[in-house]
Amino acid sequence: MSTASGVITSLRGLTVEVRITGERPDARELLLVEGMENVFLEVNFFRANTAVCLNLTNVQGLQCGQKVSRSHQKVTVPVGPDTAGRVFNALGEPLDQGEPVNTNRRSITEPTGTKSYRNSEKLELLQTGLKVIDFLTPFVKGRKIGIVGGAGVGKTVLTTEMIHNVAKDEKSMSIYCGVGERIREGNELYETLKDTDVLKNTVMFFGQMDSTPAIRSMVAPAAATAAEYFRDEEGRDILFFVDNIYRHVQALTELSTNMGLVPSEGGYSPLVFSELRRLQDRLASTEHGTITSVQAVYIPADDLSDPAVQAISQQMDSVLVLSRVVAESGIRPAVDLLKTTSSLLTPQIVGERHYQLAGRVQAIIQKYDSLKNIIAIVGENELSPADRSDYQNAKKLIQYFSQDFAVAEHLTGKPGEYFTLEQTLSGIEAILEGRDEPKKEEEKEVPKPEAAPEATAEQKPEEKKHE
C-alpha cells in the first residue's frame, strides 16, 4: 500500500469522513483502507481539509483512526462485446456466476458523448406491438418514454413486455438497468430473456432492494457507461430500459440525508435533481448512434404532483400514466388515457391519419369522463342519442386497448398478442364509425385450400347420380 494520505475521523452509516494529511485525492476517487482490502471509500465532496466519502461495500469493522491511501482509480465497469448476455452490479462485478470481465473497463462518472446530436428531421418509429403505446405514445428512436404508476399497477410487466417485443431485432443492443426493484423480478426477467433468446444481445446491471443506497445510486450511471460505449465506439442503436428511475432518485436522497445535506422541496436534496439531469443527458443520441430509453417511474402514494415524479416526467418525450382505478377494473395495461401525454404525437411524426384519430379518441374519452357523473345520477337512458353513442364508443375503446402480454402467458394461460400499427388504427376507426372491429390477420384465414378439392370430389358422384 502506498503512503497514507488520510485518517478516518468520523463514521455515520455509509458516510466516512477522512482528514487529509497527505496528497489530496480527486473527487470520485477510491480510497483504500489499511488492512481491509475489500473496503472502498469513494470521495464524494470536500469540507475544508476533510474528504466526505461513501463506503461502497458496506463492510463492517471500520474504526476511527484507521489510515487510508489513494488508489488513483475510480469506479469502473466492463464495456464492449464481451459483456453481451452478462449480468453485473454497479461495481462491474458479475452476478451471473460467470467469469469477471476485465478486458475493457471505463469510469462510470465520466460521460463520453459528443455534443453533435443527430438531425431530428428524420425520425424513425419503432413498433412495440402494444396498441395503447403505439397509438398514444409513439415509440421514436432516440427519444425517451416514461411509464409512470404507483405500486402494483403493472410498470415492470409492461416494461418487460416492451423488451420482449422490441429487443428481438438482431441489430439492436439492449441495456437493462434494475434499480431498487425486487430480486425475484430481476431473476424472472433474466430467465424470460434467456428463454426467448434475447439475452445474447442484452447487458444487464442490477442494484436491487437489498443493495445499499450507494450501490443503487451508481447502477444507472454504470449502465449509461455501457450504453455510451456501444453508441460511440460501435455505432449501435441502443434500447435502454430502466426499472425503476424513481429508485435512483430515492437512493440519492438517502445518501444526501446520510451526509447531512439540507433537503429542499418534498424532502429531496437539490443535488438529486442535478444528478438526475446529468444522467438523462447521457442517454442522448449522437452522430454515431442513438439511445432510445424506456424508464419506469414509481409514484409515491399515487401522487403525480410529487417533485421527483415531476422532475423525471419533464425530461421524457412521452409519459404513459398507469392508473390504479383502471387496474382494479381488470384492464391491462392499466393506462389512464386522459393523463397520458406525448410531444411526439404530431402529424409530422405519426402522419395525418394517426394524428386525427388520436384527437378524436382523446375527445371522446374526455366526454366519457364528464358523462360518468351524470349517468351515476340520472342513468344512461336519459342521455341524448349522440351522447349515448359516444359513451358506448368510449367504453369499447377502453376495452379495445386492453391486451394480453406474452411475458404473462405462464400466469394467465392466455397467449400474448402483438398488433401492428395498421391493425390498431383500423380497429379504432371501426369503433368510431360503428362498424365491427376488424379481426387480426390470422383470425381472418379462410379454410385451407386442400379441403376444398376433397369436398368437390365427394360431391361429383352424387351430382352424376342425381342427373
Side-chain angles (χ1 to χ4, degrees):
M1 182 178 286
S2 58
T3 306
S5 60
V7 177
I8 296 178
T9 58
S10 172
L11 297 169
R12 186 175 62 254
L14 296 177
T15 305
V16 180
E17 293 189 2
V18 176
R19 187 178 74 250
I20 305 301
T21 59
E23 188 179 18
R24 180 167 175 156
D26 298 327
R28 301 295 183 181
E29 184 178 337
L30 295 179
L31 301 182
L32 307 175
V33 181
E34 185 176 37
M36 304 183 74
E37 296 180 356
N38 296 326
V39 177
F40 299 99
L41 307 180
E42 184 187 52
V43 178
N44 201 274
F45 63 91
F46 294 94
R47 187 184 293 134
N49 66 336
T50 297
V52 180
C53 309
L54 291 175
N55 182 0
L56 299 184
T57 49
N58 198 29
V59 174
Q60 304 300 314
L62 290 178
Q63 298 178 3
C64 291
Q66 283 182 299
K67 297 179 180 180
V68 300
S69 60
R70 296 186 63 184
S71 68
H72 301 280
Q73 294 181 348
K74 298 182 180 181
V75 175
T76 61
V77 292
V79 295
D82 292 341
T83 61
R86 300 296 305 277
V87 185
F88 303 96
N89 64 12
L91 302 178
E93 300 167 341
L95 297 177
D96 54 5
Q97 299 181 341
E99 292 295 322
V101 180
N102 296 312
T103 51
N104 189 3
R105 299 181 72 96
R106 285 190 173 181
S107 169
I108 69 171
T109 59
E110 299 171 2
T112 60
T114 68
K115 293 184 178 180
S116 178
Y117 295 100
R118 278 192 171 189
N119 191 341
S120 60
E121 293 179 2
K122 187 178 180 182
L123 297 175
E124 182 180 343
L125 279 172
L126 301 174
Q127 291 195 30
T128 66
L130 298 165
K131 291 181 284 190
V132 69
I133 290 180
D134 289 338
F135 185 68
L136 287 179
T137 55
F139 199 43
V140 178
K141 183 182 287 188
R143 300 304 181 92
K144 297 183 177 74
I145 288 184
I147 301 176
V148 180
V153 295
K155 297 184 301 299
T156 299
V157 176
L158 183 56
T159 303
T160 306
E161 182 73 4
M162 291 186 70
I163 297 174
H164 176 272
N165 289 355
V166 181
K168 287 182 177 180
D169 185 2
E170 293 287 335
K171 298 179 182 178
S172 65
M173 188 74 198
S174 300
I175 307 290
Y176 179 84
C177 174
V179 186
E181 289 300 298
R182 300 171 184 84
I183 297 174
R184 169 186 57 80
E185 292 176 346
N187 184 65
E188 287 176 354
L189 175 63
Y190 176 80
E191 294 297 333
T192 299
L193 298 184
K194 192 174 181 180
D195 293 342
T196 55
D197 204 31
V198 175
L199 184 63
K200 63 183 181 182
N201 290 323
T202 305
V203 184
M204 306 179 78
F205 289 86
F206 282 107
Q208 294 169 299
M209 276 187 171
D210 62 332
S211 301
T212 66
I215 293 296
R216 281 185 272 124
S217 69
M218 294 165 61
V219 176
T225 301
E228 287 173 334
Y229 174 86
F230 286 110
R231 179 195 64 192
D232 298 334
E233 301 299 328
E234 297 190 5
R236 303 283 290 271
D237 290 326
I238 309 301
L239 295 171
F240 193 92
F241 299 92
V242 186
D243 188 14
N244 184 302
I245 192 64
Y246 176 83
R247 302 295 184 193
H248 175 70
V249 173
Q250 192 176 43
L252 291 171
T253 302
E254 290 176 39
L255 290 178
S256 297
T257 303
N258 200 261
M259 290 185 290
L261 300 180
V262 179
S264 61
E265 185 182 7
Y268 300 102
S269 165
L271 293 176
V272 167
F273 299 108
S274 60
E275 287 292 332
L276 175 65
R277 186 53 187 259
R278 191 173 292 113
L279 171 65
Q280 297 291 357
D281 285 346
R282 295 179 68 173
L283 304 178
S285 300
T286 71
E287 59 185 1
H288 304 294
T290 63
I291 297 179
T292 308
S293 178
V294 178
Q295 303 179 26
V297 186
Y298 167 71
I299 307 177
D302 288 352
D303 182 13
L304 275 170
S305 64
D306 184 88
V309 175
Q310 289 295 314
I312 297 169
S313 299
Q314 288 167 7
Q315 298 178 49
M316 300 291 121
D317 296 288
S318 302
V319 177
L320 193 78
V321 179
L322 301 184
S323 164
R324 191 170 304 282
V325 174
V326 177
E328 289 171 350
S329 68
I331 303 294
R332 292 290 189 278
V335 177
D336 188 319
L337 301 178
L338 289 178
K339 294 180 181 176
T340 294
T341 59
S342 176
S343 62
L344 304 174
L345 195 60
T346 64
Q348 293 76 19
I349 296 176
V350 301
E352 193 64 37
R353 175 194 177 199
H354 186 162
Y355 176 72
Q356 293 294 343
L357 274 177
R360 292 176 64 187
V361 167
Q362 289 169 337
I364 203 171
I365 295 298
Q366 184 72 56
K367 189 173 184 179
Y368 167 84
D369 193 60
S370 62
L371 287 174
K372 282 193 301 184
N373 295 331
I374 298 175
I375 291 174
I377 298 172
V378 301
E380 188 175 338
N381 292 333
E382 297 300 319
L383 298 177
S384 67
D387 286 347
R388 195 180 308 128
S389 175
D390 287 343
Y391 184 78
Q392 290 297 331
N393 285 342
K395 288 170 66 176
K396 290 178 183 178
L397 284 169
I398 292 171
Q399 192 63 45
Y400 176 73
F401 285 125
S402 181
Q403 189 170 342
D404 292 319
F405 291 162
V407 296
E409 184 175 341
H410 65 289
L411 298 174
T412 63
K414 299 178 182 179
E417 298 176 301
Y418 185 99
F419 289 83
T420 65
L421 181 59
E422 178 57 36
Q423 289 170 337
T424 300
L425 297 180
S426 297
I428 291 171
E429 285 176 333
I431 292 173
L432 294 178
E433 294 169 8
R435 296 184 282 109
D436 290 336
E437 179 190 325
K439 295 182 179 180
K440 294 183 68 177
E441 293 299 321
E442 57 268 26
E443 296 173 352
K444 295 194 294 183
E445 290 181 355
V446 296
K448 294 181 179 180
E450 57 268 23
E454 291 177 9
T456 307
E458 291 175 2
Q459 290 172 357
K460 280 184 178 177
E462 296 294 328
E463 290 171 359
K464 288 181 180 178
K465 199 177 291 183
H466 179 70
E467 290 173 359

